[in-house]
Amino acid sequence: MPFFKKPLAGPGYIILNIIRVLNIIALLSVIVASWVMLVKTFRVSQFYFFDAVSHVTTFTISLFLIISELPICKDYFARNWPLLSPQSGFVALGVAMITVGCSILGNLNKEATRPDKLGPPFWRIVIAAGIVVTVLGFVNIVASYVFRDKDLGITARHVRQHGATAPQKDLSSSPSTASNRSRKSFRMMAGRSTPLPSYHPSTSRFSRAERNPKLPLTISRPMINEEQFRKITRSATPIERPDDAYHPGFQQDGYSNKV
């Protein structure tokens, strides 16, 4: 939506940064809930190993999303995780948060995570973490479409970083755009011929014609130059001029049959 023509562009900077803080808090609560379930289900669950792998995976994903929300490792996310880079909105982040929230809430259906097993305070931590991160996932998806301008190529992350000045920023200098440009230039260079010299014989049409001339050859008639023969006759050993009849130019088919 073209909100950059309205005064909402400035407040959007504040709103999106508040949502960022809430995202980090919600993901930290998911990390706490994962460790609570990891410790509390140790004595109760019969499949503790698989439950532990599930909780550790949820913890790792939450920590990874927290890092993507912080202003660090921008080049890494631009190269390897473009859906979490400034060139993309918050849709991928929101979907990931909804998935994590559903995983946390799904663990409450197990016998090992009942309120009497976990304890009421820890059970409230788990259910609150699941609800908050799921709700914020939907909020991020909505904010991604509200605070973007598709015509200008401005995403909600640009607004969160630059505010109302996002349309004036040179987005072409961003890390993801630079990496895309470098990949494009690499593909262009890959299609070119190598500038190094070739040590193999040429196989062009002209070189083949030079190595394999067509037969019979057409030989011109002799050019009579009396002065040339006079110089030869002045030498010590006189040389007689050969008979013109034996010249290949006078023979049939352009070459001598006597050869």
Side-chain angles (χ1 to χ4, degrees), residues 173-185:
S173 60
S174 61
S176 58
T177 306
S179 62
N180 292 334
R181 190 183 299 112
S182 64
R183 287 194 293 267
K184 182 179 179 180
S185 62

Side-chain angles (χ1 to χ4, degrees), residues 37 40-47 51 105-119 123:
M37 290 186 292
K40 288 293 184 177
T41 59
F42 175 73
R43 299 180 179 179
V44 180
S45 178
Q46 297 179 355
F47 300 96
D51 285 339
L105 295 175
N107 287 320
L108 295 177
N109 294 325
K110 299 178 181 179
E111 182 69 21
T113 55
R114 291 174 51 185
D116 55 339
K117 301 293 185 181
L118 287 178
W123 186 83

Side-chain angles (χ1 to χ4, degrees), residues 32 43 169:
V32 174
R43 299 180 179 179
K169 294 295 181 179

Side-chain angles (χ1 to χ4, degrees), residues 20 24 65-74 77 160:
R20 171 194 273 183
I24 295 175
L65 295 177
I66 290 175
I67 296 174
S68 70
E69 285 291 277
L70 297 175
I72 58 176
C73 304
K74 291 183 179 181
F77 285 101
R160 188 177 70 178

Side-chain angles (χ1 to χ4, degrees), residues 38-64:
L38 182 65
V39 174
K40 288 293 184 177
T41 59
F42 175 73
R43 299 180 179 179
V44 180
S45 178
Q46 297 179 355
F47 300 96
Y48 174 74
F49 173 77
F50 301 101
D51 285 339
V53 171
S54 176
H55 299 322
V56 171
T57 303
T58 304
F59 159 78
T60 305
I61 294 174
S62 301
L63 183 61
F64 183 78

Side-chain angles (χ1 to χ4, degrees), residues 198-252:
S198 176
Y199 298 98
H200 299 283
S202 176
T203 57
S204 62
R205 176 171 57 88
F206 301 100
S207 62
R208 289 197 301 268
E210 293 174 358
R211 292 197 304 268
N212 302 318
K214 294 183 180 180
L215 296 176
L217 299 177
T218 302
I219 303 175
S220 63
R221 297 178 181 274
M223 298 177 62
I224 302 175
N225 191 349
E226 298 294 341
E227 182 64 26
Q228 179 181 7
F229 286 99
R230 289 195 189 99
K231 294 180 180 179
I232 297 174
T233 55
R234 295 193 191 104
S235 60
T237 305
I239 301 176
E240 296 182 359
R241 177 180 175 178
D243 190 357
D244 294 341
Y246 293 100
H247 193 278
F250 293 101
Q251 304 298 320
Q252 188 178 2

Side-chain angles (χ1 to χ4, degrees), residues 181-193:
R181 190 183 299 112
S182 64
R183 287 194 293 267
K184 182 179 179 180
S185 62
F186 176 77
R187 289 194 296 267
M188 292 176 63
M189 289 298 296
R192 296 179 182 176
S193 60

